[in-house]
Amino acid sequence: MANTASISANIAGRYAQAVFDLVKEEGALDRLSTEVESLRTTLNDSADLRTLIGSPLYSREDQESAIVAIAGRMGLSGIMTNTLRLMAQNRRLFTLPQLVERLGELIAEERGEVTADVIAAAPLSEEQQRRLIETLAQKSGRTVKLNTRVDESLIGGMIVKLGSQMIDSSIRSKLASLQNVMKEVG
């Protein structure tokens, strides 16, 4: 399974790099960023789109005409529409989620941004988010965007992942550490 995921990421990475290079040449990174977010949202919200790109039951032609129609409705650029068309013709639409992810990474890299994944026990207020962004920006020296989600099983605190670093200040992990220490004692 990991091998299949690696192959998909590799395929998507090549398409993403080509799209990124073409768009960067045109100076339209802001538009690409908007398109990537739009595609990400559409993939998350549409089970029909996920079925279209992942099902082997649709022919190349069906996938191509459907994805071109979707791209037209979404108002995607010619470069993105043609890339999606090419992916459909080559039976590579199944890598669309990885393409969107990789394009997001390339855009963030170009802009000097980094995304911090934050899992909190409760929703963060605007003030908490602002302070967290400032602290992480000081530590990383880059512009930080937050990707937050709530997991009540943490009891309290949060887990922050920034690049390869992870900071776990959740009550759940502290209780687990305390439990391990107590096992060693008694």
Side-chain angles (χ1 to χ4, degrees), residues 111-129:
R111 292 178 171 170
E113 297 173 345
V114 66
T115 300
D117 293 316
V118 179
I119 305 168
L124 299 176
S125 69
E126 291 293 323
E127 175 63 16
Q128 289 170 322
Q129 288 184 31

Side-chain angles (χ1 to χ4, degrees), residues 39 65-77 80-82 84:
L39 277 169
S65 61
I67 203 70
V68 168
I70 291 167
R73 278 218 168 131
M74 291 177 69
L76 298 181
S77 66
M80 185 61 80
T81 300
N82 288 335
L84 295 175

Side-chain angles (χ1 to χ4, degrees), residues 3-179:
N3 195 20
T4 304
S6 174
I7 292 170
S8 295
N10 204 358
I11 292 168
R14 289 192 304 263
Y15 282 103
Q17 190 64 56
V19 168
F20 181 78
D21 290 344
L22 288 170
V23 169
K24 187 177 171 187
E25 222 173 76
E26 288 185 354
L29 278 181
D30 289 339
R31 177 171 179 160
L32 179 62
S33 179
T34 303
E35 290 179 353
V36 166
E37 285 308 311
S38 182
L39 277 169
R40 180 177 285 124
T41 301
T42 303
L43 276 168
N44 289 337
D45 294 347
S46 176
D48 290 339
L49 178 58
R50 290 190 303 274
T51 300
L52 172 74
I53 66 172
S55 175
L57 299 177
Y58 294 103
S59 69
R60 292 173 198 256
E61 295 78 19
D62 291 342
Q63 280 187 328
E64 181 182 352
S65 61
I67 203 70
V68 168
I70 291 167
R73 278 218 168 131
M74 291 177 69
L76 298 181
S77 66
I79 291 172
M80 185 61 80
T81 300
N82 288 335
T83 300
L84 295 175
R85 174 183 282 131
L86 181 64
M87 289 173 72
Q89 290 170 352
N90 293 333
R91 299 296 273 179
R92 300 287 190 247
L93 270 182
F94 67 93
T95 66
L96 185 56
Q98 292 93 341
L99 172 83
V100 168
E101 195 61 39
R102 183 65 186 136
L103 279 171
E105 291 169 1
L106 289 168
I107 292 166
E109 210 173 281
E110 180 69 20
R111 292 178 171 170
E113 297 173 345
V114 66
T115 300
D117 293 316
V118 179
I119 305 168
L124 299 176
S125 69
E126 291 293 323
E127 175 63 16
Q128 289 170 322
Q129 288 184 31
R130 185 189 61 73
R131 287 186 12 225
L132 183 58
I133 288 171
E134 286 175 4
T135 303
L136 294 173
Q138 285 176 345
K139 292 210 180 282
S140 68
R142 301 174 85 183
T143 304
V144 176
K145 291 172 65 177
L146 293 183
N147 180 16
T148 61
R149 70 180 176 92
V150 175
D151 181 356
E152 293 174 357
S153 73
L154 295 179
I155 304 170
M158 67 179 71
I159 300 171
V160 178
K161 184 174 183 212
L162 182 64
S164 62
Q165 291 184 322
M166 186 170 92
I167 303 161
D168 188 346
S169 65
S170 67
I171 302 294
R172 181 178 67 188
S173 72
K174 290 180 181 180
L175 287 172
S177 294
L178 183 60
Q179 183 179 23

